[in-house]
Amino acid sequence: MGKEECKTMLDALNKVTACYRHLVIALGSTSDSQNLREELKKTRKKAQELAVANRTKLTSLLKDKTISKEDRAEYERLWVLFSSCMELLEVDMKRSLEIAQEFPLKVPTRHLIQTGMTGSTTTVAARAMSVQNMKYEADSNIDTADLRDLQAEITQVSQMMEEMEMKVQVAPWAVEAKQEAGAELKSNMSVGNSSVGVISICEEEPKEEEGGGGSREAGFASICAVIGFFVIVIVALVLGYLVVNM
Amino acid sequence: MTINTLAKGGCHREQMACFRKMEKVIVAMQDPDMGMKMRNQRLLITVIPHAMTGHDIITWLTHKYRISEEEALHLGNMLVKYGYIYPLKEPRCLVLRPDESPYRFQTPYFWTSTRWPASELDYAIYLAKKNIRKQGELMEYEKERYSLLHKRINHTWDFVVMQAREQLRASKQRRKADRIVLECQEQAYWLINRPPPGVNNVLDTGLERPNNFSCRVTLNSDYYKREIEACRKALGRNRVKSSICLEGFLKYSEQYLNHDPIMQGCLPSNPWISDDTAHWTMNAEIVPVPTRLRVERWSFSFMELLNDAMGRREFMTYLEKEFSAENLYFWQACEDIRHGENSKIVEKVEDVYKNFLAPGAARWVNIDSKTMDKTLEGIKRPHRFVMDDAQMHIYFLMKKDSYPRYLKSDLYKNMLAKAIVPQETKKSVFPFMRRQRHSSPSPAQTATQAAEEEGLAKGAGANSAAGSHF
């Protein structure tokens, strides 16, 4: 079904955009490194592929005159989501070019901003690329060739967006969101549950709440289940013994 | 889909100069040898590096730029105010304290930027993320803004929710210390770009928007040469003392007082009030008999005479009598070149040369040799203003010579005598039908003027005290 396919592709693009933004935030800071630049390159290539795929699919669906009204409304909604995603991606790409130019890596004295972030971003990039581990090639000219590529890609993306605006007639104001305000709270995604435990340092006093934060959710649930099972078995044995002996 | 503010090929926004300078200071602070002294921030079990105290910041600034402590405090305050450094203990209070309070650098992505202004979409995503993290416990103003955004960018709200969830999942991939830092960074960024109500928005420069002409100026010899040239031109400009200027203004006002329809009223009646267009028809471009006021104005200045079509015609008649009409013809032709069509300039200049400047021309004008040479040179490459010098010469010739004689001539005096003074329209009998001819007297006109007005204006005896009522 066209809709499901579109949604999955859009979700994938959404995921890659979020990861890309996360990586760009780390640019220029102490977690910046050759690896980060490579991750950025890979992520944005993936993003571009997904973008092109999405666009082709959606344009072909929207051009189809035989679809029903509800279908068309749905596709228009997906189209609006897609273009918002592309907007974010474009801005992030432009910004990454700017920051990368300001903070070149292959210089004798690097002046990366000491922001307190020191960990690596490998896992984020792995999530974006949907792989387990990231492989890196030691590219020696990240400062020059990579940035040129980036510029070319930015022009490509801008052109694509221009084409999109011109060719597809979708009125964004006519689209209504499916989610109401506060919809994100109602979901039972893992995001909602385990984020309770995140340290709320940034408020007035640094309070630390060690919840289940950080630990894998699945493991936690299974451990709980196992413990519960054993508790129940023990209780049953005790009761049985009492029954037998009484 | 938001309106694309980064217009393709449109205006390319620049980072404000003050921000670029602040960025340089921040980068200088990162120097491994001469930079800032960093400490570790200790939270219960996590240790986050790269914290500094307010005191350290001030000491560093004092040493690096050799300024007083007060100035360093001010400079440091600016850095905090604009979000390049954010406080760790009281994040909402963006002030630099010269004591042991901890601060940290902001990541370049979140630096304040006029080039990349924070968009509504980003803010919506941030609020959605915070909503998820805090399980709905947003601050009041954040809740309001959230609902406002939900209404405004409703069409893309699904994307906001999707992206918020994904961004949180992405940040979960990092270790705890980095996650904390990321949250603090984001919060600091949005405190500056979307300040809570009651807090000054530092990005709002108000009425005195700073000029950002020369974005990047290299102070080389070219730059200085241009500056010197500009100053030289400025020195050469004519400047008039305000005392002289104001005297001239006063004289002008006195001279034109009687001719001003608002101050003196217009005869026969003000068309806007009485709906009678006689005033306009009487003062049209070409009339058989001009009004007296108009003819009087010709004597005020030469330009007045020339600007009035009838005046020019009269003057031409006079000059023809004096056999110096070619001057006025020449002047008119030059005006035509100056204000006429671009395509006809070459042709017109040719004509002017043929008729007025060539030796043995039909209407040869008398110009001094220097101006003549210059003009003839210029004619080889004709442009709109090629005749300016010659025209100016002839203009002053007429003004100094022919114009005063014209004013003394019989022609002018007859014209003046012939000129009509229109009768004031009769006032109707009924008082409530009467239209006030004068506008209400200006505050500047005190009792002295009032008496004059009474005598001058109402022959029939309407009450000048009566306000304008219609």
Side-chain angles (χ1 to χ4, degrees):
Chain A
M1 174 75 198
K3 251 188 258 178
E4 292 314 312
E5 221 182 294
C6 277
K7 281 211 189 114
T8 350
M9 287 208 299
L10 198 57
D11 280 337
L13 181 62
N14 182 42
K15 183 172 79 167
V16 174
T17 311
C19 294
Y20 190 71
R21 170 160 285 199
H22 195 95
L23 294 173
V24 178
I25 289 178
L27 255 185
S29 70
T30 31
S31 25
D32 197 355
S33 65
Q34 168 107 357
N35 287 350
L36 177 67
R37 306 275 169 117
E38 267 189 60
E39 287 160 14
L40 277 167
K41 187 161 82 166
K42 291 200 166 89
T43 319
R44 76 170 180 264
K45 282 210 164 44
K46 176 111 195 241
Q48 270 198 294
E49 288 166 29
L50 282 169
V52 171
N54 258 301
R55 185 197 62 166
T56 348
K57 186 87 189 146
L58 275 172
T59 31
S60 64
L61 282 170
L62 282 170
K63 280 209 165 73
D64 192 3
K65 302 276 185 208
T66 60
I67 50 177
S68 67
K69 247 198 165 165
E70 295 92 42
D71 276 354
R72 188 167 180 90
E74 177 63 17
Y75 290 140
E76 287 188 358
R77 187 185 75 95
L78 290 176
W79 178 262
V80 169
L81 302 186
F82 172 56
S83 34
S84 312
C85 199
M86 288 311 295
E87 258 179 60
L88 277 194
L89 199 62
E90 194 191 357
V91 171
D92 279 344
M93 279 169 72
K94 287 187 176 153
R95 292 203 75 174
S96 75
L97 177 66
E98 202 191 340
I99 300 177
Q101 280 171 338
E102 259 184 67
F103 294 96
L105 288 181
K106 295 280 186 227
V107 285
T109 41
R110 285 192 201 176
H111 284 172
L112 297 173
I113 310 292
Q114 294 161 68
T115 53
M117 289 236 244
T118 44
S120 81
T121 43
T122 332
T123 36
V124 178
R127 184 186 168 80
M129 306 294 293
S130 313
V131 291
Q132 281 293 92
N133 292 311
M134 290 288 292
K135 292 193 204 45
Y136 296 101
E137 303 118 24
D139 200 358
S140 60
N141 50 359
I142 37 158
D143 280 343
T144 47
D146 187 37
L147 293 181
R148 272 204 303 271
D149 289 340
L150 177 52
Q151 259 172 334
E153 281 173 35
I154 290 175
T155 357
Q156 257 181 351
V157 169
S158 313
Q159 267 174 351
M160 187 168 91
M161 290 195 62
E162 221 177 299
E163 267 179 44
M164 274 163 54
E165 271 178 56
M166 293 293 126
K167 296 223 173 111
V168 180
Q169 306 293 341
V170 172
W173 50 86
V175 172
E176 263 181 52
K178 277 195 167 161
Q179 321 253 23
E180 322 104 42
E184 60 267 14
L185 296 172
K186 298 192 187 112
S187 74
N188 51 356
M189 306 259 136
S190 57
V191 171
N193 291 346
S194 52
S195 63
V196 177
V198 171
I199 295 172
S200 59
I201 168 109
C202 297
E203 293 320 306
E204 302 314 315
E205 279 96 53
K207 277 190 283 237
E208 212 171 306
E209 291 144 39
E210 282 280 293
S215 57
R216 295 193 29 139
E217 214 235 333
F220 185 73
S222 63
I223 290 170
C224 279
V226 167
I227 291 172
F229 175 74
F230 277 119
V231 163
I232 291 169
V233 163
I234 289 168
V235 167
L237 283 172
V238 167
L239 283 175
Y241 177 78
L242 287 172
V243 162
V244 164
N245 286 355
M246 295 298 186
Chain B
M1 199 186 291
T2 52
I3 296 173
N4 198 355
T5 46
L6 307 167
K8 310 168 230 310
C11 62
H12 173 80
R13 270 194 299 254
E14 271 287 341
Q15 176 78 315
M16 265 173 84
C18 55
F19 294 147
R20 279 207 304 277
K21 292 176 191 167
M22 283 196 247
E23 284 164 21
K24 285 207 185 91
V25 173
I26 295 287
V27 170
M29 284 187 184
Q30 312 303 321
D31 194 303
D33 313 310
M34 302 286 292
M36 201 57 127
K37 189 165 68 159
M38 291 283 144
R39 298 157 203 259
N40 288 334
Q41 181 196 18
R42 220 163 259 290
L43 308 165
L44 277 173
I45 52 164
T46 9
V47 173
I48 308 180
H50 306 149
M52 51 206 171
T53 60
H55 180 76
D56 283 344
I57 298 175
I58 294 178
T59 326
W60 187 87
L61 285 170
T62 320
H63 281 153
K64 166 93 176 166
Y65 295 109
R66 297 197 190 92
I67 49 179
S68 68
E69 236 183 81
E70 205 181 324
E71 207 179 328
L73 181 61
H74 175 73
L75 189 57
N77 237 337
M78 301 237 92
L79 288 174
V80 176
K81 205 165 73 140
Y82 283 99
Y84 290 94
I85 294 177
Y86 60 93
L88 298 174
K89 275 273 161 59
E90 280 171 47
R92 292 183 188 269
C93 181
L94 296 169
V95 164
L96 182 69
R97 286 186 225 279
D99 52 20
E100 301 301 309
S101 15
Y103 292 87
R104 189 170 277 139
F105 290 116
Q106 179 69 280
T107 184
Y109 186 80
F110 284 139
W111 279 351
T112 310
S113 174
T114 41
R115 249 190 115 189
W116 309 105
S119 71
E120 296 297 337
L121 190 61
D122 287 331
Y123 191 46
I125 295 174
Y126 168 68
L127 285 177
K129 277 204 283 192
K130 203 166 176 191
N131 212 9
I132 297 175
R133 271 193 294 115
K134 294 251 168 10
Q135 297 287 297
E137 292 300 313
L138 293 174
M139 310 203 68
E140 269 315 308
Y141 73 91
E142 283 174 344
K143 284 193 186 143
E144 281 172 42
R145 288 184 191 171
Y146 181 87
S147 24
L148 199 65
L149 279 169
H150 176 75
K151 242 189 292 181
R152 251 194 237 154
I153 52 171
N154 186 271
H155 55 273
T156 188
W157 194 257
D158 297 337
F159 174 69
V160 169
V161 171
M162 271 164 56
Q163 183 69 202
R165 288 191 185 134
E166 275 304 321
Q167 284 189 9
L168 279 176
R169 286 186 199 133
S171 65
K172 248 177 223 345
Q173 303 295 322
R174 306 204 59 182
R175 42 174 234 213
K176 190 185 288 180
D178 289 346
R179 241 183 297 153
I180 300 171
V181 170
L182 186 59
E183 267 172 42
C184 294
Q185 280 176 355
E186 257 194 322
Q187 187 191 44
Y189 177 71
W190 288 111
L191 276 175
I192 300 216
N193 282 280
R194 295 281 188 274
V199 175
N200 260 342
N201 186 352
V202 290
L203 294 175
D204 187 14
T205 46
L207 291 173
E208 291 162 7
R209 188 161 48 107
N211 282 328
N212 213 12
F213 294 124
S214 47
C215 303
R216 290 194 195 242
V217 179
T218 38
L219 297 176
N220 54 11
S221 64
D222 272 339
Y223 170 74
Y224 287 119
K225 277 190 196 136
R226 273 182 282 134
E227 287 287 301
I228 292 172
E229 198 46 49
C231 293
R232 192 175 293 141
K233 279 198 198 138
L235 278 176
R237 276 188 216 129
N238 247 347
R239 279 175 172 73
V240 185
K241 274 165 57 166
S242 53
S243 55
I244 298 176
C245 198
L246 292 170
E247 255 181 53
F249 186 66
L250 212 57
K251 273 198 211 134
Y252 177 90
S253 307
E254 278 168 9
Q255 197 177 44
Y256 278 85
L257 179 64
N258 291 343
H259 298 251
D260 190 315
I262 293 180
M263 303 306 280
Q264 285 298 125
C266 49
L267 305 164
S269 62
N270 189 334
W272 297 111
I273 297 175
S274 64
D275 295 328
D276 173 25
T277 53
H279 174 77
W280 289 330
T281 44
M282 274 192 217
N283 282 301
E285 281 260 341
I286 305 285
V287 280
V289 186
T291 54
R292 191 192 190 94
L293 283 178
R294 186 175 174 177
V295 181
E296 269 176 24
R297 273 205 294 276
W298 297 349
S299 66
F300 287 172
S301 79
F302 189 38
M303 216 53 216
E304 273 284 353
L305 178 66
L306 285 182
N307 279 338
D308 190 346
M310 279 202 72
R312 206 190 281 192
R313 209 178 52 179
E314 288 297 307
F315 191 57
M316 183 68 91
T317 332
Y318 174 75
L319 285 180
E320 266 165 11
K321 285 222 183 92
E322 301 253 312
F323 303 109
S324 45
E326 68 270 4
N327 289 338
L328 190 55
Y329 281 122
F330 177 67
W331 184 87
Q332 274 179 194
C334 290
E335 278 291 284
D336 194 29
I337 294 178
R338 280 186 74 175
H339 300 289
E341 279 181 37
N342 223 359
S343 48
K344 303 221 172 80
I345 286 181
V346 179
E347 180 187 322
K348 285 183 188 167
V349 168
E350 271 300 312
D351 281 338
V352 164
Y353 173 72
K354 231 176 21 192
N355 291 333
F356 298 100
L357 297 174
R363 289 171 168 163
W364 190 80
V365 284
N366 193 0
I367 307 179
D368 67 299
S369 56
K370 201 168 103 181
T371 323
M372 180 66 97
D373 288 337
K374 196 165 168 209
T375 312
L376 290 176
E377 264 307 306
I379 286 179
K380 295 192 185 131
R381 283 199 203 88
H383 59 90
R384 195 175 285 273
F385 306 107
V386 69
M387 293 293 182
D388 267 12
D389 293 312
Q391 185 188 13
M392 193 62 61
H393 181 89
I394 294 293
Y395 176 83
F396 280 117
L397 191 65
M398 289 195 286
K399 181 175 170 181
K400 292 222 165 70
D401 188 29
S402 319
Y403 178 60
R405 278 188 286 127
Y406 169 70
L407 291 181
K408 293 193 193 105
S409 70
D410 288 331
L411 205 62
Y412 180 69
K413 291 198 175 121
N414 288 344
M415 194 51 128
L416 203 54
K418 242 183 3 172
I420 49 170
V421 181
Q423 278 297 320
E424 199 193 330
T425 44
K426 276 234 178 76
K427 294 258 173 29
S428 60
V429 179
F430 302 103
F432 52 82
M433 291 282 281
R434 279 192 201 141
R435 299 287 183 95
Q436 186 75 336
R437 182 162 68 86
H438 293 249
S439 61
S440 41
S442 82
Q445 289 190 345
T446 51
T448 53
Q449 274 287 349
E452 212 185 291
E453 242 186 278
E454 290 220 69
L456 173 75
K458 334 286 181 132
N463 310 340
S464 63
S468 50
H469 45 79
F470 41 83

